[in-house]
Amino acid sequence: MTTAGGRWDAEVAVVGVGAMGSATCLALARRGVSVLGLERRAVGHDRGSSHGQSRLIRKAYYEHPDYVPLLHRAYAGWDALMAATGQALFHRVGLCSVGAEDSELIAGTLRAAAEHGLPLDIVDGSRHQARAPGLVLAQDELFLYEADAGWLAVEACVQAQAALASQLGAEIRAECEVNAWATDGAGFALETSRGRVRARRLVLTEGAWASGTLGRFGRKLKVHRNVLHWFGVDARPASAVDWTAAPCFAVDLADGFFYGFPNIDASGVKVAQHRPGQPVDDPDDVTREPLPDDATAVQRFVGQRLRGLGDAPTRQAVCLYEQSEDSHFIIGRDEALGGVVIGAGFSGHGFKFAPAIGEALADLALDGESALPIGRFAIDSLQVR
Ligand SMILES: Cc1cc2nc3c(=O)[nH]c(=O)nc-3n(C[C@H](O)[C@H](O)[C@H](O)COP(=O)(O)OP(=O)(O)OC[C@H]3O[C@@H](n4cnc5c(N)ncnc54)[C@H](O)[C@@H]3O)c2cc1C
């Protein structure tokens, strides 16, 4: 472990120990660098963007083929984390993608798979039922199956990254809010709720709380309230579908993009709509209770497209989308501000990338550049002072 020594409490301070911050702490600790992770709440808390049981992970990335190389790296990172901790974190149960041939989901998935030679099964009508008995298909829809996909146990992943980082020498300081930071060019001084911290380098992974930081660089972050819904499994023999053995699914329809998971821990099948949701002015002032209209679209989708589930949610959870202007990630380093490094704007689809993003942010903090394929996310506007 490289100790910071002298005037520094740590070589690198990481502000926010959620998905990306815990991954960054782990990447730095693995390199033997002294790192201090500062988190205003408990690690794995349910007030940010990294909670609610599960996250989809897939490689044939409909959003853009450029993400695929980074996904290869992220997959290797999740496998390494599981090997190091002995925990089952990534469940490779497969993913069924359904929609019209020209829908964003289907066209984009086919494009990413073709460009990167990823295995993808175009499932024909006779095999639909066997592959996903819980899904109802319309006639003109395509059904794609990606075997090397599935779900990540979201809170456990964050906690495992932070715990392994600690084992490797990182200090993770929970319940410690960073209220301000400044640089003198040689390093950083952070004012926290538990006193002053000094570090030679600084990484900011503040999730939904990154608006202030991004504003300094001329970038905007919009925070949205998004709701997850769990539906009980109907146990009556006539309607019984084995949702425990089901793959994950994503369905792109004219009236919305819906996705869901198997019945993971008997709390039911989690279904959500992928969309920003209601804009939120202050991420600390969000209605956490379900609102009357929260479930309307998802309930309609479940009623029309899923078999063997109850018609009203039995559990709901509110989560925050941290939306960049174009839904692509924001990653960069600003030399004029002491080389501060930022990872933000993961826009409702970043979790699966966390180990790779952590490595990239560690590279940027230590070396000023990264060989990882993060070019598409570089903040040109970090030139804005
Ligand atoms: C409903 C929902 C569904 C999603 N589904 C998927 C999916 O299926 N697949 C996928 O890949 N992604 C998905 N995402 C997106 C993914 O979960 C997020 O992009 C990712 O978790 C963001 O990680 P983060 O580290 O940026 O934020 P967070 O994990 O929220 O971490 C930010 C942390 O910073 C802390 N913090 C902020 N400011 C300070 C400060 N000043 N001092 C100290 N600590 C501070 C916060 O407390 C928080 O813990 C989904 C998101 C939501 C909300």
Side-chain angles (χ1 to χ4, degrees), residues 15-21 38-41 45 48-50 55-56 176-178 205-209 226 228 259 261 319-322 346-352:
V15 179
V17 186
M20 307 308 167
L38 302 162
E39 168 54 52
R40 67 203 288 264
R41 293 182 178 272
H45 67 86
S49 306
S50 302
R55 289 290 183 271
L56 287 182
C176 180
E177 179 162 10
V178 176
T205 45
E206 301 159 297
W209 289 265
N226 194 291
L228 303 164
Y259 64 97
F261 300 81
C319 196
L320 301 178
Y321 266 36
E322 4 67 270
F346 293 99
S347 304
H349 66 113
F351 193 85
K352 62 184 81 60

Side-chain angles (χ1 to χ4, degrees), residues 63-230:
E63 289 87 338
H64 201 286
D66 284 0
Y67 283 86
V68 176
L70 204 57
L71 281 161
H72 288 306
R73 189 70 172 215
Y75 269 57
W78 292 120
D79 286 341
L81 183 64
M82 288 195 291
T85 61
Q87 291 184 55
L89 299 167
F90 176 5
H91 300 262
R92 282 175 158 90
V93 299
L95 171 72
C96 300
S97 297
V98 173
E101 194 169 354
D102 61 353
S103 63
E104 193 186 355
L105 173 64
I106 298 300
T109 301
L110 287 167
R111 177 180 165 209
E115 266 188 39
H116 291 278
L118 300 172
L120 190 67
D121 188 9
I122 302 177
V123 183
D124 63 41
S126 62
R127 292 185 297 136
H128 289 165
Q129 283 305 307
R131 186 55 87 193
L135 278 180
V136 177
L137 265 81
Q139 271 208 329
D140 54 350
E141 287 174 343
L142 233 59
F143 182 122
L144 310 177
Y145 179 72
E146 185 177 0
D148 196 11
W151 59 274
L152 294 158
V154 54
E155 294 93 342
C157 287
V158 174
Q159 286 161 346
Q161 291 185 140
L164 185 57
S166 299
Q167 270 175 40
L168 296 174
E171 184 187 345
I172 307 290
R173 211 172 279 174
E175 314 293 344
C176 180
E177 179 162 10
V178 176
N179 297 313
W181 58 268
T183 178
D184 62 5
F188 295 87
L190 287 76
E191 303 304 330
T192 85
S193 55
R194 289 167 58 186
R196 173 172 280 208
V197 164
R198 285 164 309 170
R200 205 189 303 262
R201 302 159 202 267
L202 179 62
V203 178
L204 303 173
T205 45
E206 301 159 297
W209 289 265
S211 298
T213 296
L214 288 171
R216 283 174 83 161
F217 306 113
R219 291 294 296 264
K220 284 202 181 75
L221 188 79
K222 285 194 180 156
V223 180
H224 294 261
R225 175 181 178 275
N226 194 291
V227 185
L228 303 164
H229 312 268
W230 283 259

